[in-house]
């Protein structure tokens, strides 16, 4: 049998490892795009979403009928209102506490879905219920996300 040869100092020296330096650099995700790209996409994403939303609302409203000038105007007005509200929510919601932050974003999403559902010819009550169901589901997701990634004050946990 092969055994380790005894060393001066006994077994104490065998388990000692050299000390490592611990650096306290914050862990960050890599930033693939530059600051300019982030600044442009902050406004481009709500604009694209608004145009898609306006087209969707206009298509729901005309219900397969002919495209008219009023239908196009309705689509662009809907898109404009969606863009303004989306930018407002994206700007002011992060300033709120995590509960209100989640409620603001989920309320916007629920109202948007409820409005689209109403444009397809459904009753107001059914549209409101659909909007509330969507808002409740999205609230649960956002609240869980913010609750697990922020402390009680609202600072991100790293």
């Amino acid at each position: 049998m092969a055994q380790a040869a005894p060393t001066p100092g006994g077994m104490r020296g065998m388990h000692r490892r050299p000390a490592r330096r611990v650096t306290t650099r914050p862990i960050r995700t890599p930033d693939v795009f530059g600051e300019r790209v982030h600044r442009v996409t902050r406004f481009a994403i709500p604009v694209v979403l608004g145009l898609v939303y306006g087209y969707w609302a206009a298509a729901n409203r005309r219900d397969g009928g002919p495209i008219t000038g009023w239908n196009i105007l309705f689509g662009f007005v809907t898109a404009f209102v969606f863009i303004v509200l989306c930018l407002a929510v994206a700007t002011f919601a992060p300033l709120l506490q995590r509960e209100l932050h989640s409620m603001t974003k989920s309320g916007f999403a629920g109202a948007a879905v409820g409005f689209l559902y109403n444009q397809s010819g459904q009753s107001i009550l059914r549209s409101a219920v659909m909007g509330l169901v969507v808002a409740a589901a999205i609230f649960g997701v956002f609240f869980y996300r913010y609750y697990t990634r922020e402390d009680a004050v609202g600072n991100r946990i790293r």
Side-chain angles (χ1 to χ4, degrees), residues 74-142:
F74 176 77
F76 278 116
V77 169
T78 303
F80 178 74
V81 170
F82 184 90
I83 291 167
V84 169
L85 290 176
C86 188
L87 286 171
V89 167
T91 302
F92 296 116
L95 302 176
L96 302 171
Q97 295 174 350
R98 63 181 168 215
E99 294 87 4
L100 295 175
H101 187 177
S102 303
M103 195 178 300
T104 303
K105 286 187 174 182
S106 62
F108 174 69
V113 168
F115 179 75
L116 279 180
Y117 196 73
N118 186 23
Q119 294 308 308
S120 65
Q122 300 296 328
S123 70
I124 296 291
L125 181 61
R126 190 164 179 173
S127 301
V129 169
M130 287 297 292
L132 287 173
V133 167
V134 168
I138 292 176
F139 175 78
V141 170
F142 276 139

Side-chain angles (χ1 to χ4, degrees), residues 17-103:
R17 292 185 178 160
R20 291 189 210 161
R21 257 191 215 174
V22 178
T23 59
T24 57
R25 289 184 290 163
I27 299 171
R28 291 184 51 183
T29 56
D31 194 8
V32 179
F33 301 110
E35 184 64 32
R36 181 173 181 258
V37 175
H38 287 286
R39 197 171 37 248
V40 169
T41 56
R42 181 168 185 225
F43 295 103
I45 289 175
V47 168
V48 170
L49 287 176
L51 290 174
V52 169
Y53 185 83
Y55 172 75
W56 195 349
N60 281 355
R61 187 174 185 120
R62 72 182 173 90
D63 196 28
I67 298 174
T68 63
W70 291 112
N71 188 256
I72 292 171
L73 178 66
F74 176 77
F76 278 116
V77 169
T78 303
F80 178 74
V81 170
F82 184 90
I83 291 167
V84 169
L85 290 176
C86 188
L87 286 171
V89 167
T91 302
F92 296 116
L95 302 176
L96 302 171
Q97 295 174 350
R98 63 181 168 215
E99 294 87 4
L100 295 175
H101 187 177
S102 303
M103 195 178 300

